[in-house]
Amino acid sequence: MPDLLIELFSEEIPARMQAKAAEDLRRLVTDAMVEAGLAYAAAAAFATPRRLTLAVQDFPKATKATKEERKGPRADAPDKALEGFLRSTGLTRDQLEVRADKKGDVLFAVIEKPGREASEVIAEALESAIRNFPWPKSMRWGAGTLRWVRPLHSILCIIHDEAGASVVPLEVEGIRAGDRTQGHRFMAPGAFAVSSFEDYQAKLAAAKVVLDPAERAEKIWHDATQMAFAQGLEVVEDKGLLAEVAGLVEWPVVLMGPIGERFLDLPPEVLQTSMKEHQKFFSVRNPATGRIEKFVTVANRETADDGATILAGNGRVLAARLSDALFFWENDLRKVKAAKEGMGGMEAMAAPLAAVTFHNKLGSQAERIARIARLAREIARDVGADPAQAGQAASVAKADLASEMVYEFPELQGVMGTYYARAAGLPEPVAAACGAHYAPLGPSDAVPTEPVAVAVALADKIDMLTGFWAIDEKPTGSKDPFALRRAALGVIRIVLENGLRLALTRPIAEGAKANHVDAADHAGPMELLVPDLLGFLADRLKVHLRAEGVRHDVIEACFRLGGQDDLVLLVARVRALQAFVDSEDGANLLAGYRRAVNILEAEEKKDGIEYSLDPDPQFAEAEAEKALFAALDAADPAIGKALNAEDFSAAMSALAALRAPIDAFFEDVVVNADNAIIRRNRLCLLNRIRTVMLRVAAFGALEG
Amino acid sequence: MSEAPGKPRSFQEIILRLQTYWASRGCAVLQPYDMEVGAGTFHPATTLRSLGARPWAAAYVQPSRRPTDGRYGDNPNRLQHYYQFQVLIKPSPPDLQALYLGSLEAIGIDMSLHDIRFVEDDWESPTLGAWGLGWEVWCDGMEVSQFTYFQQVGGHDCRPVSGELTYGLERLAMYVLGIDHVMDMPFNDPQAPIALKYGDIFRQTEREYSRFNFDVADTGVLLRHFEEAEAECAAILAHPATDPKTGREIVMAHPAYDQCIKASHIFNLLDARGVISPTERQAYIGRVRTLARMCADAFTTTEAAGAEAAPAA
């Protein structure tokens, strides 16, 4: 059976797009092959900066012929019916067969599809893949209309087996497929023909191109770590950078060079960020001192001088970059050290933030920082932090936004704050909070755990949320320009992962009040803001817990009880409820609950009254009815006791005891008795079931 | 490479070699535009000529001004006035990358010793309503050029697409000549009887303009000039296409575009004076973009853009 080799050769494909593009090519072509009836044994896709390559193994030479028969209208049917049939089959009248049927002559369409050559199917599949390729961003070039990520230069497309290789006939916008490709742009620029995937890979290797990105990454990492190890050093691991660098070269050559002595005292984060962002260098650390002392760069070629010129050039560029960084670092330090009294130094650094707009309706950064500081002091008590320190930390945590270093490297915000706060002589919890208060930045980022940092982190996020709620800039659909969902998730995770017992209504109301005053233009009354924002937090909590397999309706059933602003408590209740509804008792009790509520609501509607009085046991006639009274009398205080103790499992167990009496009640007792008093008493009894159960959760919110 | 053996010795030799190289590759070598601009892209030979169907090939040096980058001549590579070398070819030829690499060889970069890389860098100019895809070109880790395939300019799709190359001349020359501080770079032949360094020519002006840009330029005057340029641009384009005096169809896209350039530069000055808040900033950029769009609209109706000449009246 034949194999297929495709290569799309273009100008340099952005590194970040290569992996997905290779996968897309594989998917688009092989899906179309399978769809057409060409099943294959294996397929592999690769990318280099200049090529996307796909190799598919073992598929039939042609698709099978098919024959399909379709019954149409009667031979004497009106033209309308005939036209429709012809349209749907793509045949003409004289191609139809007339066959005798019980009711007369009927038209039949016999559609025969001959088998198609694999090359024809593949040509079609590849052209469609090229024309509809899902690049994140594509472009036109020259005078053409074809879109590709960068100009596409050639298409290699061959089918090959033991007998030899043949080019798949295909032309896209003047680019005719062939069997030729090119080697490394500088080291082996000639074109050559290939006859199979093995031949292609071997010739590419000889022409200084490593086809497989994983192989390039592995070589880079291997050579870099070996080189560092030989000097008693270690390379700082960075998988993202490794993948990116492997996408920038076809023939990786690893070079290691020194960082100038005068830069070695810069914070390691600064060295790492500057080298990574500007130069795509790896950092090389001295494990004994923890200092970053060397860099690793990856060139795309070998040279006669073994990379000496390249390394020297890179070193010069790095020195220029680090000179800038050093200049910023020294200027910033000078500023914060100038006045060491209290927090004068950091305040001096933060001063320009008064002139920086946070949002045109929410005032300046300085105003926002003042709000966060007030809120952090409030929250401090609840999270075990010293209110004065929390307030101080919040006041200086964003000062580094006005530093020269963070202006140059925004990703160092917080990290620099910690360095500068230490240099200004602030207490360690305050300095640490500068760096930690932005966390968590992503779902896998760790949350702050030190009380001062926790207070500032919560205050920061709650101010953000209440501010944008106050001006009605809430996230909608896919639009969340201020990352408010992330802020909400941050609040949730900080509270839950630290087990913080904190009624969120209070800080949210405080934040809302502060923002309402500061907001230049607010949308609605503040009273609605707090419950609305709590609802938003509940929604984010649903998303967060869904990942752990918790049903969203279970969360809703707990949240709907109202006043659920203590997330730790809410989640404990949710987990107990989830376990309960998953149990047999829970499922049955839920059925009983629904039956009770359905009857009750139907009768209340019919009678136009609410049966909300206490039922009286003296009107209980049946044994099952009396037993239900007894069970409710027993369960009610048990539930109350469990809830007071915040023991939701016990509350669920108390509910479980109701299952049998409720089942028996519906088995033996007719609710709508002839006697009006007894009927009313039984409806009130159903209401009592509802009331008792509602103490634990809003069971009505549960689905399924 | 017959035209450029060995290493260049001065800043001007690099410029001359680039001009010679691109002239030999068929480009019209133009002179700088006679107005203050922030980058070579603003020259109408790029902005306007990238529009419409007519083929175009031009190369030129463009003095460029970025008032906020002034450092009083102290910084080793930041200047408020610097030079860009700009190439624009429409439609972009299929071998543009090879042509570009040839230009690096022409200025003395030995391809067998250096590591040249094309690193993704998408270009966008919010003031010109323009964007394109391409790369920054790295030589041994240093960015030496921008390489862009224009997709849209002034809100118009580019058909055909122009290929644009922008060389930051000081930085490139410093690298080729092995100079660490721009002011130390030989401007003319260092063996000349009167050898001049970059600093001999520009240290004084960098100081003067840094002071002027940051602290002295009269913001009231600038604000007024911005408004005037904006109004003038619209007024020029509001004239009917038919010239009442000659009876010819004359759309005044270029004079209007001059006002757009002026507004853009005044905005840059106001920015350097620190009188534009972040929110206002967006609004100003939007106003310049509106002008650029109007000029682009107008240019596409002209013969120079390849529009059908209107039948004689």
mmCIF file with all atom_site columns, all heavy atoms in Angstrom, chain A residues 11-12 16 140 142 150 185 279 298 301, chain B residues 92 97 111 117 120 134 141 149 151 158 161:
data_model
loop_
_atom_site.group_PDB
_atom_site.id
_atom_site.type_symbol
_atom_site.label_atom_id
_atom_site.label_alt_id
_atom_site.label_comp_id
_atom_site.label_asym_id
_atom_site.label_entity_id
_atom_site.label_seq_id
_atom_site.pdbx_PDB_ins_code
_atom_site.Cartn_x
_atom_site.Cartn_y
_atom_site.Cartn_z
_atom_site.occupancy
_atom_site.B_iso_or_equiv
_atom_site.pdbx_formal_charge
_atom_site.auth_seq_id
_atom_site.auth_comp_id
_atom_site.auth_asym_id
_atom_site.auth_atom_id
_atom_site.pdbx_PDB_model_num
ATOM 1   N N   . GLU A 1 11  ? 7.918  31.106 3.732  1.00 0.00 ? 11  GLU A N   1
ATOM 2   C CA  . GLU A 1 11  ? 8.797  31.969 4.508  1.00 0.00 ? 11  GLU A CA  1
ATOM 3   C C   . GLU A 1 11  ? 8.503  31.718 5.991  1.00 0.00 ? 11  GLU A C   1
ATOM 4   O O   . GLU A 1 11  ? 7.522  31.061 6.330  1.00 0.00 ? 11  GLU A O   1
ATOM 5   C CB  . GLU A 1 11  ? 8.581  33.431 4.078  1.00 0.00 ? 11  GLU A CB  1
ATOM 6   C CG  . GLU A 1 11  ? 8.978  33.602 2.609  1.00 0.00 ? 11  GLU A CG  1
ATOM 7   C CD  . GLU A 1 11  ? 8.764  35.006 2.027  1.00 0.00 ? 11  GLU A CD  1
ATOM 8   O OE1 . GLU A 1 11  ? 8.518  35.960 2.773  1.00 0.00 ? 11  GLU A OE1 1
ATOM 9   O OE2 . GLU A 1 11  ? 8.846  35.123 0.790  1.00 0.00 ? 11  GLU A OE2 1
ATOM 10  N N   . GLU A 1 12  ? 9.303  32.284 6.876  1.00 0.00 ? 12  GLU A N   1
ATOM 11  C CA  . GLU A 1 12  ? 9.324  31.861 8.274  1.00 0.00 ? 12  GLU A CA  1
ATOM 12  C C   . GLU A 1 12  ? 7.968  31.935 8.996  1.00 0.00 ? 12  GLU A C   1
ATOM 13  O O   . GLU A 1 12  ? 7.370  32.999 9.134  1.00 0.00 ? 12  GLU A O   1
ATOM 14  C CB  . GLU A 1 12  ? 10.362 32.663 9.053  1.00 0.00 ? 12  GLU A CB  1
ATOM 15  C CG  . GLU A 1 12  ? 11.784 32.120 8.928  1.00 0.00 ? 12  GLU A CG  1
ATOM 16  C CD  . GLU A 1 12  ? 12.437 32.370 7.568  1.00 0.00 ? 12  GLU A CD  1
ATOM 17  O OE1 . GLU A 1 12  ? 11.792 32.972 6.685  1.00 0.00 ? 12  GLU A OE1 1
ATOM 18  O OE2 . GLU A 1 12  ? 13.608 31.975 7.391  1.00 0.00 ? 12  GLU A OE2 1
ATOM 19  N N   . ARG A 1 16  ? 5.270  30.327 17.533 1.00 0.00 ? 16  ARG A N   1
ATOM 20  C CA  . ARG A 1 16  ? 4.149  29.949 18.389 1.00 0.00 ? 16  ARG A CA  1
ATOM 21  C C   . ARG A 1 16  ? 3.042  29.248 17.613 1.00 0.00 ? 16  ARG A C   1
ATOM 22  O O   . ARG A 1 16  ? 2.153  28.644 18.195 1.00 0.00 ? 16  ARG A O   1
ATOM 23  C CB  . ARG A 1 16  ? 3.597  31.186 19.106 1.00 0.00 ? 16  ARG A CB  1
ATOM 24  C CG  . ARG A 1 16  ? 2.990  32.186 18.173 1.00 0.00 ? 16  ARG A CG  1
ATOM 25  C CD  . ARG A 1 16  ? 2.615  33.497 18.855 1.00 0.00 ? 16  ARG A CD  1
ATOM 26  N NE  . ARG A 1 16  ? 2.239  34.486 17.872 1.00 0.00 ? 16  ARG A NE  1
ATOM 27  C CZ  . ARG A 1 16  ? 0.982  34.713 17.499 1.00 0.00 ? 16  ARG A CZ  1
ATOM 28  N NH1 . ARG A 1 16  ? 0.002  34.041 18.043 1.00 0.00 ? 16  ARG A NH1 1
ATOM 29  N NH2 . ARG A 1 16  ? 0.726  35.627 16.586 1.00 0.00 ? 16  ARG A NH2 1
ATOM 30  N N   . ARG A 1 140 ? -1.995 37.990 2.519  1.00 0.00 ? 140 ARG A N   1
ATOM 31  C CA  . ARG A 1 140 ? -1.774 37.867 1.081  1.00 0.00 ? 140 ARG A CA  1
ATOM 32  C C   . ARG A 1 140 ? -0.384 38.416 0.797  1.00 0.00 ? 140 ARG A C   1
ATOM 33  O O   . ARG A 1 140 ? 0.200  39.091 1.630  1.00 0.00 ? 140 ARG A O   1
ATOM 34  C CB  . ARG A 1 140 ? -2.815 38.689 0.320  1.00 0.00 ? 140 ARG A CB  1
ATOM 35  C CG  . ARG A 1 140 ? -4.242 38.141 0.441  1.00 0.00 ? 140 ARG A CG  1
ATOM 36  C CD  . ARG A 1 140 ? -5.274 39.088 -0.155 1.00 0.00 ? 140 ARG A CD  1
ATOM 37  N NE  . ARG A 1 140 ? -5.433 40.289 0.676  1.00 0.00 ? 140 ARG A NE  1
ATOM 38  C CZ  . ARG A 1 140 ? -4.990 41.478 0.358  1.00 0.00 ? 140 ARG A CZ  1
ATOM 39  N NH1 . ARG A 1 140 ? -4.368 41.686 -0.791 1.00 0.00 ? 140 ARG A NH1 1
ATOM 40  N NH2 . ARG A 1 140 ? -5.151 42.508 1.177  1.00 0.00 ? 140 ARG A NH2 1
ATOM 41  N N   . GLY A 1 142 ? 2.362  39.726 -2.787 1.00 0.00 ? 142 GLY A N   1
ATOM 42  C CA  . GLY A 1 142 ? 2.441  39.970 -4.224 1.00 0.00 ? 142 GLY A CA  1
ATOM 43  C C   . GLY A 1 142 ? 1.102  40.392 -4.779 1.00 0.00 ? 142 GLY A C   1
ATOM 44  O O   . GLY A 1 142 ? 0.354  41.129 -4.149 1.00 0.00 ? 142 GLY A O   1
ATOM 45  N N   . ARG A 1 150 ? 2.620  33.259 5.888  1.00 0.00 ? 150 ARG A N   1
ATOM 46  C CA  . ARG A 1 150 ? 3.623  34.090 5.229  1.00 0.00 ? 150 ARG A CA  1
ATOM 47  C C   . ARG A 1 150 ? 3.674  33.542 3.813  1.00 0.00 ? 150 ARG A C   1
ATOM 48  O O   . ARG A 1 150 ? 3.117  32.455 3.564  1.00 0.00 ? 150 ARG A O   1
ATOM 49  C CB  . ARG A 1 150 ? 5.010  33.961 5.905  1.00 0.00 ? 150 ARG A CB  1
ATOM 50  C CG  . ARG A 1 150 ? 5.116  34.515 7.330  1.00 0.00 ? 150 ARG A CG  1
ATOM 51  C CD  . ARG A 1 150 ? 4.964  36.027 7.394  1.00 0.00 ? 150 ARG A CD  1
ATOM 52  N NE  . ARG A 1 150 ? 5.127  36.526 8.762  1.00 0.00 ? 150 ARG A NE  1
ATOM 53  C CZ  . ARG A 1 150 ? 4.187  36.580 9.683  1.00 0.00 ? 150 ARG A CZ  1
ATOM 54  N NH1 . ARG A 1 150 ? 2.968  36.140 9.407  1.00 0.00 ? 150 ARG A NH1 1
ATOM 55  N NH2 . ARG A 1 150 ? 4.441  37.071 10.886 1.00 0.00 ? 150 ARG A NH2 1
ATOM 56  N N   . ARG A 1 185 ? 18.487 27.484 4.880  1.00 0.00 ? 185 ARG A N   1
ATOM 57  C CA  . ARG A 1 185 ? 18.560 28.705 4.098  1.00 0.00 ? 185 ARG A CA  1
ATOM 58  C C   . ARG A 1 185 ? 20.007 29.124 3.816  1.00 0.00 ? 185 ARG A C   1
ATOM 59  O O   . ARG A 1 185 ? 20.322 29.568 2.714  1.00 0.00 ? 185 ARG A O   1
ATOM 60  C CB  . ARG A 1 185 ? 17.831 29.844 4.819  1.00 0.00 ? 185 ARG A CB  1
ATOM 61  C CG  . ARG A 1 185 ? 17.788 31.132 4.009  1.00 0.00 ? 185 ARG A CG  1
ATOM 62  C CD  . ARG A 1 185 ? 17.397 32.324 4.871  1.00 0.00 ? 185 ARG A CD  1
ATOM 63  N NE  . ARG A 1 185 ? 15.986 32.369 5.184  1.00 0.00 ? 185 ARG A NE  1
ATOM 64  C CZ  . ARG A 1 185 ? 15.038 32.724 4.329  1.00 0.00 ? 185 ARG A CZ  1
ATOM 65  N NH1 . ARG A 1 185 ? 15.340 33.040 3.096  1.00 0.00 ? 185 ARG A NH1 1
ATOM 66  N NH2 . ARG A 1 185 ? 13.780 32.746 4.707  1.00 0.00 ? 185 ARG A NH2 1
ATOM 67  N N   . GLN A 1 279 ? 15.971 38.591 24.117 1.00 0.00 ? 279 GLN A N   1
ATOM 68  C CA  . GLN A 1 279 ? 16.953 37.836 23.340 1.00 0.00 ? 279 GLN A CA  1
ATOM 69  C C   . GLN A 1 279 ? 16.607 36.379 23.146 1.00 0.00 ? 279 GLN A C   1
ATOM 70  O O   . GLN A 1 279 ? 17.281 35.684 22.418 1.00 0.00 ? 279 GLN A O   1
ATOM 71  C CB  . GLN A 1 279 ? 18.319 37.918 24.036 1.00 0.00 ? 279 GLN A CB  1
ATOM 72  C CG  . GLN A 1 279 ? 18.771 39.309 24.390 1.00 0.00 ? 279 GLN A CG  1
ATOM 73  C CD  . GLN A 1 279 ? 18.933 40.183 23.181 1.00 0.00 ? 279 GLN A CD  1
ATOM 74  O OE1 . GLN A 1 279 ? 18.533 41.310 23.168 1.00 0.00 ? 279 GLN A OE1 1
ATOM 75  N NE2 . GLN A 1 279 ? 19.501 39.645 22.124 1.00 0.00 ? 279 GLN A NE2 1
ATOM 76  N N   . VAL A 1 298 ? 20.727 30.070 21.125 1.00 0.00 ? 298 VAL A N   1
ATOM 77  C CA  . VAL A 1 298 ? 20.680 28.994 20.142 1.00 0.00 ? 298 VAL A CA  1
ATOM 78  C C   . VAL A 1 298 ? 20.731 29.608 18.752 1.00 0.00 ? 298 VAL A C   1
ATOM 79  O O   . VAL A 1 298 ? 19.822 30.331 18.356 1.00 0.00 ? 298 VAL A O   1
ATOM 80  C CB  . VAL A 1 298 ? 19.396 28.155 20.300 1.00 0.00 ? 298 VAL A CB  1
ATOM 81  C CG1 . VAL A 1 298 ? 19.395 27.002 19.300 1.00 0.00 ? 298 VAL A CG1 1
ATOM 82  C CG2 . VAL A 1 298 ? 19.282 27.636 21.722 1.00 0.00 ? 298 VAL A CG2 1
ATOM 83  N N   . ARG A 1 301 ? 22.899 28.053 12.854 1.00 0.00 ? 301 ARG A N   1
ATOM 84  C CA  . ARG A 1 301 ? 23.899 27.565 11.906 1.00 0.00 ? 301 ARG A CA  1
ATOM 85  C C   . ARG A 1 301 ? 25.237 27.306 12.582 1.00 0.00 ? 301 ARG A C   1
ATOM 86  O O   . ARG A 1 301 ? 25.523 27.810 13.655 1.00 0.00 ? 301 ARG A O   1
ATOM 87  C CB  . ARG A 1 301 ? 24.101 28.592 10.790 1.00 0.00 ? 301 ARG A CB  1
ATOM 88  C CG  . ARG A 1 301 ? 24.706 29.922 11.269 1.00 0.00 ? 301 ARG A CG  1
ATOM 89  C CD  . ARG A 1 301 ? 25.232 30.707 10.096 1.00 0.00 ? 301 ARG A CD  1
ATOM 90  N NE  . ARG A 1 301 ? 26.127 29.846 9.342  1.00 0.00 ? 301 ARG A NE  1
ATOM 91  C CZ  . ARG A 1 301 ? 26.309 29.934 8.018  1.00 0.00 ? 301 ARG A CZ  1
ATOM 92  N NH1 . ARG A 1 301 ? 25.685 30.859 7.328  1.00 0.00 ? 301 ARG A NH1 1
ATOM 93  N NH2 . ARG A 1 301 ? 27.126 29.116 7.407  1.00 0.00 ? 301 ARG A NH2 1
ATOM 94  N N   . SER B 2 92  ? 4.932  42.857 -3.872 1.00 0.00 ? 92  SER B N   1
ATOM 95  C CA  . SER B 2 92  ? 6.115  42.290 -3.224 1.00 0.00 ? 92  SER B CA  1
ATOM 96  C C   . SER B 2 92  ? 6.656  41.159 -4.096 1.00 0.00 ? 92  SER B C   1
ATOM 97  O O   . SER B 2 92  ? 5.917  40.269 -4.476 1.00 0.00 ? 92  SER B O   1
ATOM 98  C CB  . SER B 2 92  ? 5.753  41.759 -1.840 1.00 0.00 ? 92  SER B CB  1
ATOM 99  O OG  . SER B 2 92  ? 4.834  40.684 -1.932 1.00 0.00 ? 92  SER B OG  1
ATOM 100 N N   . GLN B 2 97  ? 12.899 38.163 0.385  1.00 0.00 ? 97  GLN B N   1
ATOM 101 C CA  . GLN B 2 97  ? 13.793 37.789 1.486  1.00 0.00 ? 97  GLN B CA  1
ATOM 102 C C   . GLN B 2 97  ? 15.239 37.683 0.992  1.00 0.00 ? 97  GLN B C   1
ATOM 103 O O   . GLN B 2 97  ? 16.168 38.157 1.648  1.00 0.00 ? 97  GLN B O   1
ATOM 104 C CB  . GLN B 2 97  ? 13.369 36.446 2.090  1.00 0.00 ? 97  GLN B CB  1
ATOM 105 C CG  . GLN B 2 97  ? 12.252 36.565 3.106  1.00 0.00 ? 97  GLN B CG  1
ATOM 106 C CD  . GLN B 2 97  ? 11.999 35.222 3.794  1.00 0.00 ? 97  GLN B CD  1
ATOM 107 O OE1 . GLN B 2 97  ? 11.979 34.187 3.144  1.00 0.00 ? 97  GLN B OE1 1
ATOM 108 N NE2 . GLN B 2 97  ? 11.813 35.253 5.104  1.00 0.00 ? 97  GLN B NE2 1
ATOM 109 N N   . MET B 2 111 ? 27.553 36.482 5.660  1.00 0.00 ? 111 MET B N   1
ATOM 110 C CA  . MET B 2 111 ? 26.498 35.516 5.977  1.00 0.00 ? 111 MET B CA  1
ATOM 111 C C   . MET B 2 111 ? 27.054 34.206 6.524  1.00 0.00 ? 111 MET B C   1
ATOM 112 O O   . MET B 2 111 ? 26.337 33.448 7.154  1.00 0.00 ? 111 MET B O   1
ATOM 113 C CB  . MET B 2 111 ? 25.666 35.214 4.727  1.00 0.00 ? 111 MET B CB  1
ATOM 114 C CG  . MET B 2 111 ? 24.837 36.362 4.252  1.00 0.00 ? 111 MET B CG  1
ATOM 115 S SD  . MET B 2 111 ? 23.543 36.743 5.445  1.00 0.00 ? 111 MET B SD  1
ATOM 116 C CE  . MET B 2 111 ? 23.354 38.473 5.111  1.00 0.00 ? 111 MET B CE  1
ATOM 117 N N   . ARG B 2 117 ? 18.077 35.709 11.542 1.00 0.00 ? 117 ARG B N   1
ATOM 118 C CA  . ARG B 2 117 ? 16.822 35.047 11.878 1.00 0.00 ? 117 ARG B CA  1
ATOM 119 C C   . ARG B 2 117 ? 15.636 35.953 11.560 1.00 0.00 ? 117 ARG B C   1
ATOM 120 O O   . ARG B 2 117 ? 15.725 37.167 11.723 1.00 0.00 ? 117 ARG B O   1
ATOM 121 C CB  . ARG B 2 117 ? 16.799 34.766 13.369 1.00 0.00 ? 117 ARG B CB  1
ATOM 122 C CG  . ARG B 2 117 ? 16.454 33.364 13.709 1.00 0.00 ? 117 ARG B CG  1
ATOM 123 C CD  . ARG B 2 117 ? 17.611 32.419 13.589 1.00 0.00 ? 117 ARG B CD  1
ATOM 124 N NE  . ARG B 2 117 ? 18.536 32.561 14.710 1.00 0.00 ? 117 ARG B NE  1
ATOM 125 C CZ  . ARG B 2 117 ? 18.223 32.274 15.968 1.00 0.00 ? 117 ARG B CZ  1
ATOM 126 N NH1 . ARG B 2 117 ? 17.019 31.878 16.300 1.00 0.00 ? 117 ARG B NH1 1
ATOM 127 N NH2 . ARG B 2 117 ? 19.125 32.392 16.905 1.00 0.00 ? 117 ARG B NH2 1
ATOM 128 N N   . GLU B 2 120 ? 8.957  36.467 14.263 1.00 0.00 ? 120 GLU B N   1
ATOM 129 C CA  . GLU B 2 120 ? 7.614  37.038 14.094 1.00 0.00 ? 120 GLU B CA  1
ATOM 130 C C   . GLU B 2 120 ? 7.488  38.423 14.697 1.00 0.00 ? 120 GLU B C   1
ATOM 131 O O   . GLU B 2 120 ? 7.842  38.648 15.847 1.00 0.00 ? 120 GLU B O   1
ATOM 132 C CB  . GLU B 2 120 ? 6.576  36.139 14.775 1.00 0.00 ? 120 GLU B CB  1
ATOM 133 C CG  . GLU B 2 120 ? 5.170  36.725 14.685 1.00 0.00 ? 120 GLU B CG  1
ATOM 134 C CD  . GLU B 2 120 ? 4.157  36.007 15.567 1.00 0.00 ? 120 GLU B CD  1
ATOM 135 O OE1 . GLU B 2 120 ? 4.550  35.271 16.481 1.00 0.00 ? 120 GLU B OE1 1
ATOM 136 O OE2 . GLU B 2 120 ? 2.951  36.211 15.338 1.00 0.00 ? 120 GLU B OE2 1
ATOM 137 N N   . GLY B 2 134 ? 4.832  40.170 9.226  1.00 0.00 ? 134 GLY B N   1
ATOM 138 C CA  . GLY B 2 134 ? 6.221  40.013 8.822  1.00 0.00 ? 134 GLY B CA  1
ATOM 139 C C   . GLY B 2 134 ? 7.078  39.623 10.001 1.00 0.00 ? 134 GLY B C   1
ATOM 140 O O   . GLY B 2 134 ? 6.641  38.887 10.877 1.00 0.00 ? 134 GLY B O   1
ATOM 141 N N   . GLY B 2 141 ? 21.191 38.045 17.283 1.00 0.00 ? 141 GLY B N   1
ATOM 142 C CA  . GLY B 2 141 ? 20.376 38.451 18.418 1.00 0.00 ? 141 GLY B CA  1
ATOM 143 C C   . GLY B 2 141 ? 19.990 39.912 18.417 1.00 0.00 ? 141 GLY B C   1
ATOM 144 O O   . GLY B 2 141 ? 19.259 40.359 19.302 1.00 0.00 ? 141 GLY B O   1
ATOM 145 N N   . TYR B 2 149 ? 4.847  42.659 5.145  1.00 0.00 ? 149 TYR B N   1
ATOM 146 C CA  . TYR B 2 149 ? 3.944  42.612 3.994  1.00 0.00 ? 149 TYR B CA  1
ATOM 147 C C   . TYR B 2 149 ? 2.697  43.398 4.361  1.00 0.00 ? 149 TYR B C   1
ATOM 148 O O   . TYR B 2 149 ? 1.901  42.956 5.194  1.00 0.00 ? 149 TYR B O   1
ATOM 149 C CB  . TYR B 2 149 ? 3.577  41.160 3.666  1.00 0.00 ? 149 TYR B CB  1
ATOM 150 C CG  . TYR B 2 149 ? 4.737  40.339 3.134  1.00 0.00 ? 149 TYR B CG  1
ATOM 151 C CD1 . TYR B 2 149 ? 5.432  39.457 3.957  1.00 0.00 ? 149 TYR B CD1 1
ATOM 152 C CD2 . TYR B 2 149 ? 5.127  40.455 1.808  1.00 0.00 ? 149 TYR B CD2 1
ATOM 153 C CE1 . TYR B 2 149 ? 6.496  38.706 3.465  1.00 0.00 ? 149 TYR B CE1 1
ATOM 154 C CE2 . TYR B 2 149 ? 6.189  39.706 1.311  1.00 0.00 ? 149 TYR B CE2 1
ATOM 155 C CZ  . TYR B 2 149 ? 6.871  38.835 2.142  1.00 0.00 ? 149 TYR B CZ  1
ATOM 156 O OH  . TYR B 2 149 ? 7.918  38.099 1.654  1.00 0.00 ? 149 TYR B OH  1
ATOM 157 N N   . GLN B 2 151 ? -0.852 44.716 4.614  1.00 0.00 ? 151 GLN B N   1
ATOM 158 C CA  . GLN B 2 151 ? -2.167 44.154 4.316  1.00 0.00 ? 151 GLN B CA  1
ATOM 159 C C   . GLN B 2 151 ? -3.226 45.241 4.199  1.00 0.00 ? 151 GLN B C   1
ATOM 160 O O   . GLN B 2 151 ? -4.164 45.136 3.426  1.00 0.00 ? 151 GLN B O   1
ATOM 161 C CB  . GLN B 2 151 ? -2.568 43.146 5.408  1.00 0.00 ? 151 GLN B CB  1
ATOM 162 C CG  . GLN B 2 151 ? -1.574 41.999 5.557  1.00 0.00 ? 151 GLN B CG  1
ATOM 163 C CD  . GLN B 2 151 ? -1.500 41.119 4.313  1.00 0.00 ? 151 GLN B CD  1
ATOM 164 O OE1 . GLN B 2 151 ? -2.489 40.543 3.896  1.00 0.00 ? 151 GLN B OE1 1
ATOM 165 N NE2 . GLN B 2 151 ? -0.321 41.040 3.703  1.00 0.00 ? 151 GLN B NE2 1
ATOM 166 N N   . CYS B 2 158 ? -4.649 46.327 0.866  1.00 0.00 ? 158 CYS B N   1
ATOM 167 C CA  . CYS B 2 158 ? -3.596 46.529 -0.126 1.00 0.00 ? 158 CYS B CA  1
ATOM 168 C C   . CYS B 2 158 ? -3.716 45.456 -1.194 1.00 0.00 ? 158 CYS B C   1
ATOM 169 O O   . CYS B 2 158 ? -3.558 44.272 -0.912 1.00 0.00 ? 158 CYS B O   1
ATOM 170 C CB  . CYS B 2 158 ? -2.228 46.450 0.550  1.00 0.00 ? 158 CYS B CB  1
ATOM 171 S SG  . CYS B 2 158 ? -1.979 47.719 1.781  1.00 0.00 ? 158 CYS B SG  1
ATOM 172 N N   . VAL B 2 161 ? -0.166 43.522 -2.711 1.00 0.00 ? 161 VAL B N   1
ATOM 173 C CA  . VAL B 2 161 ? 0.497  43.741 -1.430 1.00 0.00 ? 161 VAL B CA  1
ATOM 174 C C   . VAL B 2 161 ? 1.896  44.308 -1.662 1.00 0.00 ? 161 VAL B C   1
ATOM 175 O O   . VAL B 2 161 ? 2.605  43.854 -2.553 1.00 0.00 ? 161 VAL B O   1
ATOM 176 C CB  . VAL B 2 161 ? 0.592  42.396 -0.681 1.00 0.00 ? 161 VAL B CB  1
ATOM 177 C CG1 . VAL B 2 161 ? 1.542  42.480 0.505  1.00 0.00 ? 161 VAL B CG1 1
ATOM 178 C CG2 . VAL B 2 161 ? -0.790 41.940 -0.234 1.00 0.00 ? 161 VAL B CG2 1
#
